[in-house]
Amino acid sequence: MGLSKDELAAAVARDIPAGAYVNLGIGQPTTVADNLHPESGVVLHTENGMLGMGRAAVGEEIDPDLINAGKIAVTEPPGAAYFHHADSFAMMRGGHLDVCVLGAFQVSARGDLANWHTGEPGAIPAVGGAMDLAIGAKQVFVMMSLFTRDGRPKLVPECGYPLTGRRCVNRVYTECAVFEIEADGVRVRETYGISLTELRDRLEVDLS
Amino acid sequence: MGLSKDELAAAVARDIPAGAYVNLGIGQPTTVADNLHPESGVVLHTENGMLGMGRAAVGEEIDPDLINAGKIAVTEPPGAAYFHHADSFAMMRGGHLDVCVLGAFQVSARGDLANWHTGEPGAIPAVGGAMDLAIGAKQVFVMMSLFTRDGRPKLVPECGYPLTGRRCVNRVYTECAVFEIEADGVRVRETYGISLTELRDRLEVDLS
Amino acid sequence: MTATEYPDPDQAVAGIADGATVAIGGFGSAGQPVELIDALRRSGPRELTVVSNNAGNGDFGLAALLAAGRVRKVICSFPRQSDSYVFDELYRSGRIELEVVPQGNLAERLRAAGAGIGAFFCPTGVGTALAEGKEQRTIDGRDYLLEYPIRADVALIKAHRADRMGNLVYRKTARNFGPVMATAARITVAQVGQILEAGAIDPEAVVTPGIFVDRLVTV
Amino acid sequence: MTATEYPDPDQAVAGIADGATVAIGGFGSAGQPVELIDALRRSGPRELTVVSNNAGNGDFGLAALLAAGRVRKVICSFPRQSDSYVFDELYRSGRIELEVVPQGNLAERLRAAGAGIGAFFCPTGVGTALAEGKEQRTIDGRDYLLEYPIRADVALIKAHRADRMGNLVYRKTARNFGPVMATAARITVAQVGQILEAGAIDPEAVVTPGIFVDRLVTV
C-alpha cells in the first residue's frame, strides 16, 4: 500500500504539462526527470545557470564545468542556453518557471514551506536557492513522505521548523495522497492505499 | 581669439587618459572621437549597447543595425562587444565609465547640469539617456560655448533651465576657458584669448 | 510554456486586447519589429499604451500605429526626433498622452518587472523635474529615487535568429531593448529572420533564452 | 581603464589589503578561480571578508584560504556541503563569522552594486528568519524585503577565454557568479585559459565586456 518512491516521481511527472519550464530541487525531486518523456518537451532549469539541462552525465560525458544545482555532472542536449547567476535567479524570481518541485521537512495547511533548516542549535545554516525557488515559480509542488520516521505528520497546521516561504506551496505529493493547498483549505485529490477517514485520523489538518 | 570647435574637441581629447572608457554625448561631444589617437586605447561606449564603437560608417559600411546613440551608422572595430539596454545603462549608472562628455544649455557653479529641456511651453520633453549619463560616469566633462548667441553666460550661479543632474559636472570646456568645478568653487584652469579679469567681468560666478 | 511558431505576423499578434500595454523593441529603426507593429495595426486593438524608447520615425511601423489612432499613451525616453512628425502632431493637438522616462530607468524598470523586483532605488533624476512625486531616500550618503517596474501585457520584439526552443540571438545594436522587454511581458512575440533547429545556436551565445519567448514568426 | 595582463597569479592579486572584501566566483568547484585564490593565500592579507556561493570544498582553493586563517567572515548562500569540513570546523569552533544570504539575493545584490542601484525590494525570504531586521513593504499586494548592494574591493573570477580588450567568455555552468561579481568590484582579476587578440571573440557572444575587467592572467 502507498506509492513507492519511483511511483511518486512518476505521479509528479504526469502532472507536469507538456512544454513546461521546470526546476527540480535537489534530492528526491531530481528523480522526476527520469519520468519525463522527451516528447513532452519539458525544459529543465537549473539555477546555476542553464535552461534545457540534460540527464546525469556518465563516463566520458562528465565535465566539471557542466553541473546541476546539486553539483552533479549533467549533459547538454541541443537547444540549451547558459546564463549567469543574476539572470538565472531573475528568471526564477520573476515568475517565469511554470513548475518547481521541492522537497520539504514540513508544509502547513496554508502552504507555508519549511525545507531549509532544522533549526537545531548545532546545525550550520545553508539556504542556497531554496527561498528563491519557493517564491518564484508559477506553481510549487512539494514531494515528501507524509510522515517522519517516527510517525509524525509533515503536513501540519503550522510549521515547527523555520520557514522557507510563506503560502507558496500549491500541491503536496506523498506516498499516501496528493493534496491541493487551496485558498480555503486543503483538498485531497487522490489517495494511495489509505482512506480519507484514516488520513483525517492521522493528520491534524482539516481535509476536504 | 578663443578656440575653434575643432580645437575645443582636441582640447577635450587631450585630457582623456589612455585606456579610458568614454561615452561621448550626441552632437558636439561626438567630434572628440576624431581627435582620439588609436594608440591611446580609449574605448568608446554607446548607450544603445556597444563598447569599442568605431568611427562613423561610410558607403558600404553603413548597416542600419549598427548605430550610435545619435542614430548615426558606425563601424565595429576588433574587440567590440554588444549588450542589451539594461546592461548598457547598468554599466553607466554603476560608475564604470571613466569619462562622459556632454553638451549643455547651462552649468551652475556647483556643477548642476541643464541639457535636456528648454522648459519652453511648446517643447516636447525628451530626456533620452541624458540624466543617466549625468550621474553615471566617474568624471563628467561638459563641452559648450561659454555664451549664448545673444551674449548671456552659460556658466551660471544657478541654472534657469530644468536640471538634468545635480552637482554632477567636473569640468567645463569652452572656447574661452576650461573650468574645474571643485567642492569650494570654480577654478579656471586655462584661458584662450581672454584674460581672467575679463572672464570675471562677463560671468556672475566667482572664479579662482 | 515553450514557444509556438506562427505562420505570419497577423496570427502572431492575434488576441491583443483594447487597452493593453505593449512594449515595442527598437532604438529608432534598429530592432524595431515593423512587421509585427503593422500586423498589430491591422488587427485593430485601441487605447493601447506603448512602451518604447522612441515614439516613431517617419510614417512606418510605430509611427503608422500612432497615426492610425490606436495609441492612448506612450511611455518613452525620447519622443522628439528629426522625423517624429506623426507623434509631434498628435502630442501638440492633445490626442496622445506622454510619460517621459530616462532611458536607463526605462530599461531597468522593464528588467525589474521581469526579475520580480518590487521597486528599486536609483540615482538617475534626483533633483530634476522628473523626480516630482517620487519617494527619495539617502543611502550611504547618496540620494536615490524609488522606481517601480514597468510590466507589459505583450512585447513585440525583433531578433536576428531563433531556434525551435525559442532561444534568440540579435544583430549588433539592434539588440537594444529586445532582451529586457521579453522578460517584462506576459506574452512575448518575436519576429526573426530565421528559425533554426534546436542546437543550431551556440548555448554560450544565446541572448534571450526561450523561456522568455511565447510566439515566433519568420519575416 | 582597459585591462592589464599579468605574468602570473601572484602578481595579478598583489595589493589586496587586510580587511578587504573579496568576491570569489564559482559554484562548488565549477568556475572557482583556484590559482588566484592560492596566490591570494600566498600573498598574505588577513581579516578578509569573502563573498562566494559556497564556503569551500575539500582542502583546495577557497577551503585552503579559510584553513590558512585569512578569512574573518564568509557571506554565502550554502556553506554546508558534503566536503566543507574546513569551514565546518572553523564555524563550530567560533573562528569564522557567517552571513547566510539566499542565492538569488546574493546574485542580485552583487548586480545592484554593479548597476548603481541603492537598494531593491525583493520577494525572497518574506516571513522567514532571514527577514529579521529587514524593512518590509507591500507593493501592489505583494510583500517584499529591502535588500542592499554587496560591493567588493576585489573580485577573483575564472573565465574560459579573454581577448586583449578584457572581454570574457565562460564555459557552460562555470559562468555562474563570474559576470555579476566582475561588475560589483573595484578591481576585477580574471584567470583565463587563453588571452586572444582583439577580434577573436565574437562581439555578439561576449559575456563580460572588458570594462569590468582590470587584471588578466593566463593559468
Side-chain angles (χ1 to χ4, degrees), chain A residues 63 65 76 85 93 122 166, chain D residues 92 103 105 143 171-172:
Chain A
D63 177 341
D65 285 347
E76 175 197 292
H85 242 84
R93 291 145 50 121
R166 261 191 344 203
Chain D
R92 292 190 201 282
Q103 199 168 142
N105 285 1
D143 294 334
R171 201 168 164 274
K172 304 188 185 286

Side-chain angles (χ1 to χ4, degrees), chain C residues 63 66-67 69 71 85-96:
Chain C
L66 301 187
V71 179
Y85 45 83
V86 169
F87 173 82
D88 296 1
E89 162 61 18
L90 287 167
Y91 181 78
R92 291 190 200 283
S93 61
R95 284 179 291 159
I96 201 160

Side-chain angles (χ1 to χ4, degrees), chain B residues 57-136:
Chain B
V58 290
E60 293 196 347
E61 290 173 342
I62 291 172
D63 178 340
D65 285 347
L66 180 47
I67 59 175
N68 67 13
K71 304 191 175 80
I72 309 295
V74 294
T75 57
E76 175 197 292
Y82 297 107
F83 30 82
H84 63 58
H85 243 84
D87 279 351
S88 183
F89 278 78
M91 195 177 283
M92 182 189 293
R93 291 145 51 122
H96 303 283
L97 292 173
D98 296 297
V99 178
C100 165
V101 184
L102 297 172
F105 299 146
Q106 290 176 327
V107 175
S108 85
R110 279 194 309 271
D112 294 347
L113 171 68
N115 78 347
W116 77 283
H117 193 17
T118 60
E120 283 164 27
I124 298 177
V127 67
M131 289 187 182
D132 306 291
L133 283 163
I135 57 88

Side-chain angles (χ1 to χ4, degrees), chain B residues 26 46-50 63-71 76 82-87 89-90 93 116-117 122-129 131-132 135-136 162-166, chain C residues 27-28 30 54 77-81 87-88 91-92 98 100-105 107-108 111 120 122-128 130 136 142-143 171-177 179-180:
Chain B
I26 297 174
T46 183
E47 59 262 41
N48 54 317
M50 184 183 195
D63 178 340
D65 285 347
L66 180 47
I67 59 175
N68 67 13
K71 304 191 175 80
E76 175 197 292
Y82 297 107
F83 30 82
H84 63 58
H85 243 84
D87 279 351
F89 278 78
R93 291 145 51 122
W116 77 283
H117 193 17
I124 298 177
V127 67
M131 289 187 182
D132 306 291
I135 57 88
L163 290 192
T164 308
R166 260 190 347 201
Chain C
F27 183 83
N54 305 105
S77 88
F78 209 76
R80 187 187 64 216
Q81 299 177 90
F87 173 82
D88 296 1
Y91 181 78
R92 291 190 200 283
L98 170 65
V100 172
V101 176
Q103 200 169 140
N105 285 1
E108 188 74 16
R111 181 194 177 272
F120 58 92
C122 171
T124 298
V126 171
T128 75
L130 297 188
Q136 185 169 326
R142 190 172 194 193
D143 294 333
R171 203 169 162 274
K172 305 189 186 283
T173 58
R175 183 184 304 194
N176 59 67
F177 281 92
V180 278

Side-chain angles (χ1 to χ4, degrees), chain A residues 63-67 69 71 76 82-86 89 93 122 124-129 131-132 135 163-164 166, chain D residues 28 30 54 77-81 92 100 103-105 122 124 126 128 142-143 171-177 180:
Chain A
D63 177 341
D65 285 347
L66 179 47
I67 59 175
K71 303 190 176 87
E76 175 197 292
Y82 298 107
F83 30 82
H84 63 58
H85 242 84
F89 278 79
R93 291 145 50 121
I124 298 176
V127 67
M131 290 188 182
D132 305 292
I135 56 90
L163 290 192
T164 308
R166 261 191 344 203
Chain D
N54 306 104
S77 88
F78 208 77
R80 188 189 61 217
Q81 299 177 89
R92 292 190 201 282
V100 171
Q103 199 168 142
N105 285 1
C122 171
T124 298
V126 171
T128 75
R142 190 170 194 195
D143 294 334
R171 201 168 164 274
K172 304 188 185 286
T173 58
R175 185 184 302 196
N176 58 66
F177 281 92
V180 278

Side-chain angles (χ1 to χ4, degrees), chain D residues 45-98:
Chain D
R46 303 195 157 267
E47 297 288 313
L48 299 173
T49 293
V50 166
V51 183
S52 197
N53 189 62
N54 306 104
N57 307 79
D59 45 22
F60 66 96
L62 180 49
L65 184 71
L66 301 187
R70 303 298 165 71
V71 180
R72 185 181 67 77
K73 178 179 179 181
V74 172
I75 300 175
C76 75
S77 88
F78 208 77
R80 188 189 61 217
Q81 299 177 89
S82 57
D83 57 351
S84 61
Y85 45 83
V86 170
F87 173 83
D88 296 0
E89 162 62 18
L90 288 167
Y91 180 79
R92 292 190 201 282
S93 61
R95 284 179 292 159
I96 201 160
E97 198 180 327
L98 171 65

